[in-house]
Amino acid sequence: MKSLNYTARILILAYFFAFLWFPAASQVVIPDTILLTLKKEHPRLLVNSLNDFQDIKDRAIVDDFLKQSVNNILANADSMITQPVVTYEFHDGLRMDTRKIYSRCYTLSMAYRLTNNKKYADRLWADLDAASKFPDWNQDHFLDCATLTHAFAIAYDWLFDVWTPNQRDYLKQQIMAKGLMQGIMFYDKLLKPNQFNWADIDHNWSLVCNGGLAIGALAIADEEPVLAERILKEALSRYPKAVDKFGPDGAYCEGPGYWGYAMKSAVPALSVLETALGTDFGMTKIAGFSKASLFFVSMGGANASSFNYADAIAGKTRAIELFWLADKFNQPEITEMQKQYALEQQKKGSYQQSPLELLWYKPQKVILSKLIPDNYYRVAEIASLRSKWMDNDAWFVAFKAGENGVNHGHLDIGNYVLDNQGERWIVDLGYENYNVPGYFGDVVKNGQRWTYYRTRAEGHNLLVINPDSKDDQEVDAKTKIVNFKSTPEKAFGIMDITEAYRGKATSVKRGIALINRNSALVQDEIVSDKKMDLYWFVHTPAKITLSANKRTAILEIKGKKLLAEIVSPKNGKFEMMDAKPLSTSPQPTQNNKNEGFKKLAIHIVGESNVTIAVEYKGVDKTDRQKVIPLAKW
């Protein structure tokens, strides 16, 4: 009965959310005159008035977390004052270092509003003046230009009454000339040869670039309404299409890493629409956006480390934007998660506090048990299973089907990561260096991007069938999680990933299960019309010790141990390999050396119908799983 009630609750919730009506991106209507409802007074970006800054000070008197956060912001601001002013720097020859000026605009502006101490405004002016004298804001890599436009807009607006008329005019001219007018060049397609036009794409570049320009336009809209109206029409007409990428369930196809990057611009942009215009024109009601926060945290396992599929590192599934999303969509559990993470980091003394936390943190009554432990996200075709929320020692496994050809995608259909005892045992190696030849410019079938180990299937926790120098999964493959179930006894997802191995097998299915919330099973069923040369790979940072018969492997990290056991096939054996390409694979010299990682492998030759099942469990767990066909799970 317990299982029935649990399953029923999940199904009822899923049914309820599936049939709630939400507008599609195409149903968001931007009015002909956007500035009709513009609030004329400053500040109007992210805050409603100066009273919002006073409210922070008032709440900090009774809220210990907020009090410590205020102290951290002021300490950061004092540190910034001692640093050299910003310079025109490119950290890799392509991307400008915009982080300093962005951080200083927010932090020093907030510090002034909390203290009225002119030293913060004076120092910020020195940085703004230095950045104003840059020859350009790197419009060729427009993410930088948009970020600086965003940063200048905040400094202009939050300290509007502090700047002299000449200073305000000076800042406005920079926002217009180096930011907004550069954006119009892209909207009008007045580009240099081979210049990348971000204007009409629908991934993170749209959210960052269009969002930054919209924020810049709203900062000066009362003084420059013609230019602001033009920018807003261009930017906001494109924004819904990018927000729609979080639909229908909140997942982001570019991965949690780019979720964080995209939201760093999307949330301020949407918030600014509300505070400056009184409406976001229904964009936050686009299907899936209200669930984006749950997707992000559900992709985190031990230590909140993310399932870093696509071009990403295993970053934290915590972000200040969660405070805004949780408040907007009444998700107190998300607020509490972000708060607890921030408190932990504050205690360690390593937390880079953001001024936006002071605005967006709104504590609410929390019942963490409301969070569903297992989550499946349609369209993106990603899922995660866990034994318990907010427990570093819990079991966590996340996996994906979906598409290979998405922006920042890898040949990684079927890939997964696995956490337990506070460690990540099965890892995704992450992205290759962005500056290696052909990494972004050659993403077609047999393109140069797919010659790098970290983008190939063999560089993930996947099957490789009949390896050669070509793509080891199909670039245009589109696959689904065809069965997903969550009960206390067993939670699982089954992926039909046949399309990823088109021409190499007639059927490939992978099932991943969390059994009794204390072991994980990965089971592959591969059928071909000819005999195969088949590899099964996982990557791990652990020390690997194989048993005498090579049917089990003990993984060890920091004295902690996990057992991997081959359940099927009967003749299967583990072997250890370096995390590097097979001899038949491309061998670009730019490949990451992957130091500190090994590959646990199973190699099967000459079979046309194979089931590979591997169970991960505690070393003291002696019972062994039986092989049950995926069709009967």
Side-chain angles (χ1 to χ4, degrees):
M1 180 62 72
K2 179 180 178 183
S3 174
L4 178 63
N5 291 339
Y6 185 92
T7 303
R9 181 164 62 92
I10 300 298
L11 291 174
I12 289 169
L13 285 171
Y15 182 89
F16 175 74
F17 283 115
F19 289 93
L20 274 177
W21 182 85
F22 290 100
S26 60
Q27 293 172 303
V28 174
V29 179
I30 306 301
D32 292 335
T33 306
I34 296 171
L35 295 178
L36 194 64
T37 58
L38 177 71
K39 185 173 68 175
K40 300 296 191 295
E41 301 80 15
H42 293 276
R44 58 172 173 254
L45 305 185
L46 303 174
V47 295
N48 293 297
S49 69
L50 291 175
N51 291 336
D52 287 0
F53 297 108
Q54 182 61 46
D55 180 63
I56 292 170
K57 293 190 282 186
D58 293 342
R59 288 189 292 126
I61 295 173
V62 296
D63 189 305
D64 289 340
F65 169 68
L66 201 55
K67 181 178 180 180
Q68 183 59 53
S69 299
V70 167
N71 290 339
N72 289 348
I73 294 298
L74 297 179
N76 290 344
D78 288 335
S79 175
M80 289 175 179
I81 288 175
T82 69
Q83 303 299 316
V85 296
V86 294
T87 56
Y88 188 66
E89 295 180 23
F90 290 76
H91 55 79
D92 62 359
L94 173 65
R95 299 164 182 84
M96 181 186 288
D97 184 2
T98 59
R99 291 170 296 180
K100 286 182 183 177
I101 187 65
Y102 179 89
S103 177
R104 290 178 187 182
C105 284
Y106 270 108
T107 301
L108 293 171
S109 295
M110 178 64 79
Y112 175 82
R113 285 303 172 197
L114 294 175
T115 64
N116 291 321
N117 192 325
K118 195 75 163 44
K119 69 178 182 179
Y120 298 118
D122 290 343
R123 175 46 207 264
L124 178 55
W125 178 257
D127 282 310
L128 292 168
D129 185 46
S132 295
K133 293 174 179 174
F134 291 172
D136 56 59
W137 285 353
N138 197 22
Q139 62 271 16
D140 289 344
H141 186 256
F142 206 86
L143 296 172
D144 298 335
C145 185
T147 300
L148 285 172
T149 303
H150 176 164
F152 264 62
I154 293 299
Y156 177 83
D157 179 68
W158 282 13
L159 300 187
F160 187 84
D161 61 330
V162 178
W163 308 128
T164 67
N166 286 340
Q167 286 175 317
R168 288 198 293 267
D169 186 65
Y170 182 68
L171 294 178
K172 183 180 72 173
Q173 294 303 321
Q174 307 311 310
I175 292 170
M176 293 168 61
K178 290 189 171 74
L180 305 185
M181 293 305 298
Q182 300 303 318
I184 285 178
M185 299 290 284
F186 286 83
Y187 292 138
D188 289 345
K189 296 181 171 56
L190 301 175
L191 308 177
K192 302 174 186 176
N194 300 318
Q195 194 171 27
F196 172 61
N197 193 350
W198 47 266
D200 295 314
I201 58 178
D202 57 10
H203 53 63
N204 71 85
W205 277 68
S206 178
L207 295 170
V208 176
C209 297
N210 287 308
L213 290 174
I215 291 170
L218 286 168
I220 64 169
D222 54 325
E223 299 175 83
E224 303 291 340
V226 175
L227 176 59
E229 187 81 41
R230 170 73 197 283
I231 289 290
L232 289 168
K233 284 182 178 178
E234 298 282 5
L236 299 187
S237 66
R238 292 166 167 84
Y239 225 59
K241 188 177 177 183
V243 174
D244 195 46
K245 286 299 180 180
F246 293 95
D249 300 325
Y252 197 56
C253 60
E254 294 182 76
Y258 277 95
W259 183 104
Y261 182 64
M263 282 296 190
K264 189 175 182 180
S265 293
V267 164
L270 294 170
S271 177
V272 162
L273 292 179
E274 293 179 343
T275 58
L277 298 173
T279 177
D280 62 21
F281 306 105
M283 285 195 230
T284 55
K285 294 181 180 179
I286 291 174
F289 192 73
S290 64
K291 305 174 193 176
S293 53
L294 179 59
F295 162 74
F296 189 55
V297 298
S298 73
M299 288 295 107
N303 305 302
S305 293
S306 67
F307 172 28
N308 56 312
Y309 61 88
D311 281 334
I313 60 172
K316 303 300 183 184
T317 51
R318 300 292 183 267
I320 58 171
E321 291 75 27
L322 290 174
F323 280 142
W324 186 87
L325 292 164
D327 183 57
K328 177 75 175 176
F329 299 113
N330 190 29
Q331 298 164 336
E333 299 86 1
I334 304 298
T335 295
E336 185 65 15
M337 281 187 178
Q338 179 61 26
K339 177 183 176 181
Q340 290 303 319
Y341 172 75
L343 286 169
E344 291 170 7
Q345 300 308 305
Q346 284 179 350
K347 290 177 182 178
K348 294 177 181 178
S350 59
Y351 191 48
Q352 291 299 310
Q353 200 92 42
S354 168
L356 291 173
E357 290 177 271
L358 309 185
L359 289 173
W360 293 340
Y361 163 65
K362 305 291 173 58
Q364 304 174 58
K365 186 177 180 181
V366 179
I367 304 175
L368 285 174
S369 61
K370 284 186 177 181
L371 289 171
I372 297 170
D374 312 312
N375 293 273
Y376 160 51
Y377 299 94
R378 296 170 296 168
V379 179
E381 300 302 319
I382 299 160
S384 64
L385 317 172
R386 72 184 69 237
S387 56
K388 190 177 181 181
W389 279 102
M390 302 290 282
D391 182 352
N392 256 352
D393 291 330
W395 284 91
F396 170 80
V397 59
F399 51 95
K400 68 178 295 292
E403 303 179 28
N404 282 334
V406 297
N407 191 48
H408 287 287
H410 290 188
L411 303 182
D412 64 353
I413 287 175
N415 191 39
Y416 68 99
V417 296
L418 175 72
D419 296 359
N420 181 242
Q421 304 171 65
E423 305 293 342
R424 176 147 296 173
W425 300 92
I426 307 301
V427 304
D428 187 310
L429 295 174
Y431 58 85
E432 188 50 85
N433 187 314
Y434 277 14
N435 296 323
V436 297
Y439 196 68
F440 288 113
D442 198 3
V443 296
V444 296
K445 183 179 178 66
N446 292 319
Q448 193 171 5
R449 178 178 175 87
W450 316 122
T451 65
Y452 299 106
Y453 182 75
R454 288 192 170 198
T455 63
R456 293 172 62 81
E458 65 177 324
H460 293 82
N461 309 311
L462 288 170
L463 301 167
V464 173
I465 304 174
N466 302 330
D468 56 24
S469 63
K470 298 179 181 180
D471 303 340
D472 49 4
Q473 280 193 353
E474 291 295 316
V475 176
D476 62 352
K478 298 180 180 181
T479 63
K480 287 184 174 293
I481 296 173
V482 294
N483 194 1
F484 183 84
K485 187 174 182 180
S486 175
T487 72
E489 291 76 25
K490 185 177 183 179
F492 67 84
I494 298 174
M495 299 170 277
D496 186 339
I497 57 177
T498 306
E499 272 294 295
Y501 298 95
R502 190 188 317 134
K504 296 186 176 186
T506 56
S507 176
V508 184
K509 294 181 180 179
R510 166 166 281 187
I512 297 181
L514 199 57
I515 300 171
N516 293 320
R517 307 284 165 177
N518 66 4
S519 73
L521 179 68
V522 178
Q523 183 167 313
D524 298 312
E525 296 176 355
I526 312 102
V527 180
S528 176
D529 56 6
K530 51 185 174 292
K531 293 181 179 181
M532 297 176 287
D533 182 8
L534 174 64
Y535 283 94
W536 177 100
F537 292 138
V538 294
H539 293 76
T540 181
K543 174 186 173 183
I544 303 172
T545 303
L546 301 182
S547 62
N549 64 4
K550 298 185 179 180
R551 297 280 294 172
T552 63
I554 293 178
L555 310 182
E556 183 176 351
I557 301 176
K558 301 174 188 175
K560 305 170 188 177
K561 295 181 180 181
L562 189 76
L563 182 69
E565 180 177 23
I566 298 175
V567 181
S568 176
K570 292 181 179 180
N571 62 344
K573 294 182 179 181
F574 282 130
E575 57 183 287
M576 286 187 290
M577 302 175 68
D578 291 329
K580 66 180 185 181
L582 293 168
S583 61
T584 54
S585 299
Q587 308 286 330
T589 58
Q590 299 91 346
N591 266 335
N592 192 298
K593 301 304 181 185
N594 299 320
E595 295 177 355
F597 298 98
K598 287 290 185 181
K599 194 155 58 174
L600 188 63
I602 302 170
H603 188 198
I604 297 172
V605 180
E607 300 290 341
S608 60
N609 190 331
V610 183
T611 295
I612 301 175
V614 175
E615 183 183 13
Y616 301 97
K617 55 188 178 182
V619 292
D620 57 347
K621 194 171 184 288
T622 57
D623 56 319
R624 185 180 180 187
Q625 291 299 320
K626 295 180 179 180
V627 177
I628 300 173
L630 295 178
K632 295 184 178 180
W633 274 25

